[in-house]
Amino acid sequence: MLVARNKVVRFEYTLTNDEAQVLDRSGEGEPLTTLHGSGSIIPGLEAALEGKRAGESFKIRIAAADAYGEHDDELVQNVPREMFEDNDAIQIGMQFHSDDEDGETRIVTVTAANADSVTVDGNHPLAGVPLTFAVTIVDVRDASREELAHGHVHGPGGHPHD
Ligand code: ZN
């Protein structure tokens, strides 16, 4: 069975950047499980999986635009330090939830801080970074009717329901 829309795909992966640093990988015996075509993984990887079969391995470098997007300078903001509760504790690398003008919640990361202001970056940490995935497809199966109705996978590695 080939990977196609509405198939459930399990795959192992190792993610590296152009400096060959490992950024992420699936756990030992814990492949990532996705409903193909649901947009739950980055577009470049979803496209690369299309048409592959169980047991197949491949490696692909995905441009930032097809991964977590280009880095958007407008999402980098300087905020007065007194705007933060507990502002003595602000440190580079801390993350906060922030509501933008459209009411959407973003995670912002502190990238710089001085006595008066704090620089926060609302880009995904991997924005602007080309990503290389080494992938091995574990198995491919049809999604159940219930999974298709929910738009996600059930069972091991799938969506937890109460
Ligand atoms: Zn569900």
Side-chain angles (χ1 to χ4, degrees):
M1 184 178 287
L2 302 182
V3 178
R5 186 171 183 78
N6 294 339
K7 304 293 184 193
V8 172
V9 189
R10 294 201 305 150
F11 63 95
E12 294 172 341
Y13 70 93
T14 301
L15 168 59
T16 51
N17 60 17
D18 283 353
E19 288 72 47
Q21 289 174 302
V22 175
L23 303 177
D24 191 19
R25 58 164 36 116
S26 51
E28 191 77 35
E30 291 174 11
L32 191 66
T33 306
T34 68
L35 177 61
H36 194 73
S38 67
S40 61
I41 57 175
I42 59 169
L45 184 57
E46 190 157 70
L49 287 166
E50 180 84 22
K52 298 291 196 295
R53 67 179 73 242
E56 204 170 337
S57 295
F58 65 94
K59 197 169 193 178
I60 185 170
R61 182 177 183 274
I62 298 170
D66 293 319
Y68 290 97
E70 302 290 357
H71 190 271
D72 182 353
D73 291 340
E74 290 188 10
L75 296 177
V76 180
Q77 289 183 296
N78 287 307
V79 182
R81 188 180 265 270
E82 66 261 22
M83 295 272 291
F84 291 85
E85 285 174 48
D86 199 13
N87 61 65
D88 287 341
I90 299 291
Q91 285 181 339
I92 290 171
M94 288 176 88
Q95 294 190 313
F96 297 93
H97 289 273
S98 156
D99 295 322
D100 67 16
E101 306 96 78
D102 306 323
E104 284 194 44
T105 301
R106 277 186 178 280
I107 293 174
V108 301
T109 305
V110 175
T111 55
N114 63 31
D116 303 318
S117 76
V118 174
T119 304
V120 294
D121 187 344
N123 285 283
H124 188 281
L126 292 176
V129 180
L131 301 176
T132 297
F133 284 86
V135 174
T136 299
I137 312 271
V138 176
D139 51 37
V140 183
R141 66 166 169 85
D142 287 314
S144 70
R145 198 183 298 184
E146 193 186 41
E147 286 172 324
L148 292 176
H150 288 200
H152 55 229
V153 179
H154 294 157
H159 187 85
H161 281 290
D162 292 330

